[in-house]
Amino acid sequence: MKTYKQILLEQKPLFLYILLIYAIAGTAVVFRKPLHGIFGEENYVTIHLVIEIFVAFCSLAIANQIWLSSKFKQNSKIIYTGALFLAMGILGITHAISYKGMPFFINESDSYAAGWFYMTSRLLFPAGLLAILVIKEKQISTAKRVMAYAGSFLFSVFIAIIVYWPSRLLPELIEEGGVTVLKSNLQTLAFILTVLLIVLLIKQIRIWPRFFIFMIAASLNLLCSDVMFVSYADVYDIYNFTGHIFQFSAYWLVYKSFYFFTVEQPFIALMNSNKSLEQKERKIKQLAYYDEGTTLPNERFLRETLNEQLLQTDSRKALIVFGVDRYEGVKNALGTVYADRMLEMIAQRVKEQLPPGYLLYKLPEDRFAVFIAQYETEQTVQQLIQKLQQTMDETLVIEHFTVSSALNIGVSRYPADTKSAEDLVQFAQFAAYEAAKKDDRIAFYTASMQEARAARLMLEHDLKRAVEQCELFVEYQPQLDLHSGTIHSAEALVRWRHPEKGLIAPLDFIPVAEESGLIIPIGKWVLETACAETVMWQNKHKKTMTVAVNLSIGQLYEKDFPLFVKQTLDRTGLEPSHLQLEITESMTVNTNLIIPVLQELKNLGVTIAVDDFGTGYSSLSYLKDFPIDCLKIDRSFIRSILENPDDEALVRMILSMAKHLNLKVVAEGIETAEQLDYLLKNGCDKIQGYFISRPIPYEAFEAEYPAIQQFADEQLKN
Ligand code: C2E
Ligand code: MG
Ligand code: MG
């Protein structure tokens, strides 16, 4: 809230104006004697008339302005003020024309009529404004607006009739030698009312500081005029003239304040609202054509550019669309803020690499586009692709995490692939999608890609049905404990028997499930089934069996996931220590979010394993902060353990570090006796792989268990 000082300081011009008025008044007081009679009888009437015309003009102008500006918005206080000033304006005119020395009008002009017209008007000012300040503000009808003005007009006519009535109905106000006691008293009453008005105005100053300050200044001027009007010796006294100057000045200030209120201020408000409207329009346009995060032109911009360009020339053109590898992973693990940051960094790098004349567009999700408006040979396209790929040579550092990423680049060509802008965009996106599966991460659009995309959508549709109609089942892959030589754990792996397509591998449908959110119901079902079947198996064999269940990141983010695990254990009767949950290495990136969930799970008594270890981002050193029990070395390292010294070194390092960190190690994908031998010698805790057993349905796991164990015994003996 503004202080009084601030409010006053904002009105410097007003103070200069008031200073000027007081300088005039001061001069008049000091030089009262020599100035007495300066205008003389002859000139005095004209000078008075001029001043009064100004006063009346101000009043009528206020009335008029309020009348015009209240056409659409009829606020009671404003309308009544207008009506008040209409009456004061009319009384001002009658005062001027009836003034002593003016030509004959209805009767001989003398100070009787002029005095009463003045006095009525002078009393109306504070009394009327006081009343208006205290009444309640409300909206009034058009009819009331007319009635207020008409009433005010009739009131002035009524006063005129009384004053001009042939036999004088009212006492005299001015006599030979000065004002009467009645005039002095009425002037004092006006003075007191004006002081009251000033107090009320000061109280409300904060509502419209400028308006009220002007009104206060005007009222003060009127007070000064009162002092002058009771002190003059005769009408030729300079005090009378100064009183009129104060009076005029007061009305001028009131006029200014209403001008501000009814014209200037609404105009400024209109200007401001226009300005903000313009800003909003600009913003809407910005939003419509530019991406908010990267500020790059967006897909709509691209489509419109393509539509224009394709029409212009028939030269060969190409559209490159690229997606960002690992974007989903970063988004899931670190959250959208960091994922967006990743996109911004990539956008910046690509912009720096693009040759002049090329524009980078941002498409939805993690995709970008570059349009080649004309090219002669494929080499131009290839060179640009190379440049794009180079932008990812250096790893990205996002919030202390170093992420190596790549661009999956798809290209569609005009007119070879299509002549429509719409298709050009879509085809390049299909190609980018396919590029993700290729080693060089580049794909030029071919007709089959459209089918691949359609097939994927179809798969998602079918998967939904699969969940509902129990087309899923779980297979178990035994794990051999190398210390005891027994099989007392197995990994549960989900399978999908599609009614038409037959068995579908998890690697083909788990990503679809993750993207579509179907992983949540699927994950729940697998956990429930694995726990229940393990209990069944234990009861049958009278042996303990631990089951390892794979988790997807979406499940860990699910609210109350640990609670669900607990309820599942309770429902199925599986001992918590007989359940191992497998998370993947990439899930360990978002420490803040994941650690508390893992901790809660561990508190239940289940164990946690990190699956596919060695393929993701994490380093062993910070795994020590994670509440985990076990590492599963990815089968890609085991595969070439005996041929590739790098892989061999890595596996050996994982084994020794795991020992230091007190973690168990499971080696995945053991397919040969040599691999088993190596792991046995190097102190690996458990192995899992086709060599011992493929994943098998529950019934087979029950029936074949003794045989599998026997095979393992034989292998370990050799
Ligand atoms: P994973 O958890 O690493 O599972 C091990 C994968 O390696 C399984 O493939 C298994 O059949 C395969 N495997 C085991 N031994 C050998 C071997 O000696 N040689 C070779 N070449 N492969 C071997 P599968 O069943 O196709 O599963 C693939 C991935 O799908 C799993 O990798 C896991 O990440 C995911 N997955 C499977 N079931 C589920 C599930 O219920 N939920 C979630 N979220 N993911 C699952
Ligand atoms: Mg696994
Ligand atoms: Mg694995």
Side-chain angles (χ1 to χ4, degrees):
M1 202 158 75
K2 282 182 180 171
T3 63
Y4 283 116
K5 193 173 161 195
Q6 281 171 326
I7 291 173
L8 289 174
L9 280 178
E10 279 170 5
Q11 307 301 333
K12 278 197 192 117
L14 173 69
F15 289 108
L16 287 178
Y17 172 79
I18 290 175
L19 222 65
L20 179 73
I21 298 294
Y22 283 92
I24 294 173
T27 317
V29 173
V30 174
F31 299 105
R32 182 184 180 189
K33 285 256 160 63
L35 286 174
H36 187 91
I38 181 173
F39 299 123
E41 204 169 340
E42 330 61 86
N43 295 327
Y44 179 72
V45 177
T46 312
I47 286 165
H48 175 262
L49 183 65
V50 169
I51 293 176
E52 289 297 344
I53 284 173
F54 271 119
V55 171
F57 163 78
C58 286
S59 297
L60 293 177
I62 293 167
N64 183 46
Q65 226 161 64
I66 289 178
W67 177 260
L68 294 178
S69 68
S70 63
K71 199 166 170 188
F72 303 107
K73 214 173 131 198
Q74 284 138 6
N75 176 303
S76 59
K77 288 198 182 212
I78 308 262
I79 303 269
Y80 295 152
T81 312
L84 177 72
F85 278 91
L86 175 66
M88 293 197 315
I90 295 169
L91 293 173
I93 293 169
T94 52
H95 165 75
I97 58 176
S98 64
Y99 206 73
K100 194 174 164 201
M102 288 295 285
F104 181 90
F105 179 65
I106 301 176
N107 52 32
E108 205 60 56
S109 63
D110 67 359
S111 42
Y112 167 81
W116 275 108
F117 283 133
Y118 160 73
M119 212 57 244
T120 322
S121 159
R122 175 66 188 89
L123 282 165
L124 265 184
F125 182 92
L129 288 179
L130 272 173
I132 288 165
L133 278 180
V134 294
I135 61 164
K136 245 184 106 179
E137 183 168 349
K138 58 177 185 198
Q139 295 298 310
I140 56 173
S141 63
T142 314
K144 275 214 174 135
R145 168 171 168 257
V146 177
M147 268 159 62
Y149 270 65
S152 158
F153 179 76
L154 290 176
F155 171 78
S156 338
V157 172
F158 171 72
I159 296 290
I161 291 171
I162 292 193
V163 172
Y164 278 122
W165 201 259
S167 57
R168 292 193 171 177
L169 300 174
L170 302 165
E172 289 291 341
L173 291 177
I174 293 158
E175 289 167 348
E176 280 306 306
V179 298
T180 62
V181 180
L182 176 65
K183 164 109 198 267
S184 281
N185 288 344
L186 288 176
Q187 201 85 50
T188 312
L189 178 65
F191 189 93
I192 294 167
L193 288 176
T194 309
V195 172
L196 261 175
L197 175 67
I198 291 172
V199 173
L200 228 68
L201 287 170
I202 290 175
K203 274 197 174 164
Q204 305 194 8
I205 198 164
R206 286 212 171 85
I207 306 175
W208 296 106
R210 193 175 148 89
F211 174 76
F212 280 96
I213 276 206
F214 271 68
M215 289 297 285
I216 291 164
S219 307
L220 284 170
N221 272 318
L222 274 185
L223 291 183
C224 295
S225 77
D226 287 334
V227 175
M228 296 294 157
F229 287 148
V230 291
S231 333
Y232 63 74
D234 56 54
V235 289
Y236 310 119
D237 190 334
I238 196 74
Y239 275 10
N240 188 13
F241 171 73
T242 318
H244 276 96
I245 290 288
F246 272 127
Q247 197 190 357
F248 159 68
S249 157
Y251 278 74
W252 172 246
L253 286 172
V254 175
Y255 171 68
K256 279 288 286 182
S257 65
F258 274 92
Y259 175 79
F260 166 72
F261 198 71
T262 55
V263 179
E264 205 174 290
Q265 195 254 329
F267 181 71
I268 290 170
L270 192 72
M271 288 247 294
N272 285 345
S273 88
N274 274 351
K275 217 185 279 167
S276 94
L277 206 68
E278 267 171 34
Q279 274 169 351
K280 277 195 195 117
E281 265 170 22
R282 225 174 298 139
K283 172 101 189 151
I284 288 170
K285 203 159 173 201
Q286 174 80 19
L287 282 179
Y289 284 98
Y290 291 87
D291 174 65
E292 228 181 329
T294 55
T295 68
L296 292 174
N298 64 11
E299 189 170 347
R300 179 178 289 128
F301 198 130
L302 173 66
R303 282 179 198 278
E304 290 190 9
T305 311
L306 290 180
N307 276 325
E308 280 168 22
Q309 299 263 347
L310 297 192
L311 283 178
Q312 269 173 17
T313 61
D314 235 9
S315 59
R316 298 210 283 170
K317 307 175 207 300
L319 181 69
I320 300 180
V321 166
F322 56 91
V324 176
D325 197 47
R326 285 198 165 161
Y327 170 78
E328 275 300 318
V330 171
K331 193 166 105 183
N332 286 334
L334 294 176
T336 36
V337 174
Y338 294 113
D340 288 350
R341 181 82 201 96
M342 180 181 183
L343 293 183
E344 279 164 32
M345 282 162 82
I346 291 171
Q348 191 54 39
R349 283 191 188 182
V350 172
K351 269 200 291 192
E352 282 163 13
Q353 276 288 325
L354 278 184
Y358 286 96
L359 211 52
L360 178 64
Y361 299 86
K362 175 74 183 62
L363 306 186
E365 289 156 33
D366 62 331
R367 294 188 301 278
F368 294 87
V370 177
F371 177 55
I372 304 175
Q374 184 169 9
Y375 71 91
E376 295 298 323
T377 60
E378 295 265 307
Q379 219 186 339
T380 319
V381 183
Q382 288 290 0
Q383 276 168 353
L384 192 63
I385 289 175
Q386 245 171 26
K387 273 193 178 255
L388 290 174
Q389 285 191 317
Q390 278 162 10
T391 60
M392 288 293 131
D393 285 352
E394 261 179 60
T395 52
L396 296 157
V397 181
I398 309 162
E399 186 66 1
H400 313 308
F401 293 109
T402 313
V403 180
S404 58
S405 181
L407 304 181
N408 301 316
I409 300 175
V411 186
S412 61
R413 286 153 299 183
Y414 171 95
D417 297 331
T418 173
K419 284 192 161 187
S420 115
E422 203 76 4
D423 287 348
L424 208 59
V425 178
Q426 203 175 24
F427 290 176
Q429 298 199 62
F430 290 159
Y433 197 80
E434 291 302 312
K437 299 180 195 157
K438 294 177 61 177
D439 286 337
D440 64 353
R441 297 181 181 277
I442 303 167
F444 284 73
Y445 173 77
T446 61
S448 64
M449 288 178 184
Q450 206 169 351
E451 289 151 28
R453 185 71 200 151
R456 192 190 155 87
L457 288 174
M458 199 56 191
L459 197 68
E460 188 179 321
H461 170 263
D462 287 356
L463 190 56
K464 238 174 247 161
R465 188 203 50 209
V467 177
E468 287 157 12
Q469 302 192 354
C470 307
E471 291 168 19
L472 303 175
F473 65 101
V474 177
E475 283 193 338
Y476 298 86
Q477 187 173 35
Q479 296 176 335
L480 174 64
D481 184 329
L482 297 182
H483 300 300
S484 64
T486 55
I487 292 165
H488 53 77
S489 59
E491 178 175 5
L493 295 156
V494 68
R495 300 287 178 257
W496 177 14
R497 190 176 289 116
H498 191 284
E500 289 130 38
K501 296 181 188 141
L503 266 184
I504 299 179
L507 287 179
D508 289 329
F509 71 85
I510 292 287
V512 179
E514 284 173 342
E515 254 180 58
S516 60
L518 283 168
I519 193 67
I520 301 297
I522 293 178
K524 283 185 176 170
W525 180 84
V526 171
L527 185 72
E528 180 102 37
T529 309
C531 290
E533 290 184 340
T534 305
V535 171
M536 246 159 65
W537 191 97
Q538 288 176 343
N539 292 342
K540 167 113 188 176
H541 290 268
K542 304 277 178 266
K543 272 197 175 91
T544 62
M545 177 57 65
T546 296
V547 68
V549 176
N550 293 283
L551 296 182
S552 284
I553 184 80
Q555 290 175 275
L556 279 186
Y557 284 139
E558 261 265 297
K559 219 175 137 249
D560 295 335
F561 179 67
L563 180 69
F564 171 75
V565 173
K566 183 178 183 321
Q567 287 167 343
T568 308
L569 289 169
D570 290 348
R571 237 190 336 264
T572 55
L574 185 72
E575 281 275 319
S577 61
H578 291 157
L579 176 64
Q580 182 161 72
L581 295 172
E582 291 189 9
I583 61 170
T584 59
E585 216 183 336
S586 56
M587 295 183 196
T588 58
V589 178
N590 193 352
T591 45
N592 297 353
L593 250 150
I594 295 303
I595 289 181
V597 180
L598 294 184
Q599 196 60 59
E600 260 186 85
L601 289 170
K602 279 217 63 167
N603 291 346
L604 297 177
V606 305
T607 55
I608 312 279
V610 177
D611 204 356
D612 303 343
F613 191 77
T615 57
Y617 330 63
S618 58
S619 67
L620 265 176
S621 65
Y622 89 88
L623 273 182
K624 71 179 185 309
D625 302 328
F626 272 83
I628 52 170
D629 308 272
C630 175
L631 297 180
K632 295 189 78 176
I633 304 178
D634 192 64
R635 66 172 184 270
S636 58
F637 302 109
I638 305 296
R639 197 188 307 141
S640 44
I641 201 172
L642 297 170
E643 296 101 51
N644 187 338
D646 286 347
D647 284 347
E648 197 258 2
L650 190 87
V651 170
R652 210 140 29 103
M653 191 195 72
I654 295 175
L655 285 167
S656 90
M657 291 272 281
K659 206 156 270 159
H660 280 293
L661 292 169
N662 222 355
L663 300 173
K664 294 264 175 279
V665 178
V666 178
E668 281 186 313
I670 288 32
E671 293 185 355
T672 65
E674 289 76 23
Q675 290 166 342
L676 167 63
D677 190 43
Y678 175 91
L679 292 160
L680 198 58
K681 284 197 179 109
N682 282 281
C684 183
D685 299 292
K686 281 184 190 176
I687 60 152
Q688 176 186 342
Y690 292 176
F691 185 62
I692 299 299
S693 165
R694 287 180 171 262
I696 43 177
Y698 173 77
E699 294 72 25
F701 185 42
E702 232 183 51
E704 291 167 22
Y705 173 77
I708 297 169
Q709 178 65 63
Q710 198 187 346
F711 173 77
D713 290 344
E714 282 161 17
Q715 292 309 313
L716 290 174
K717 256 184 230 142
N718 296 338

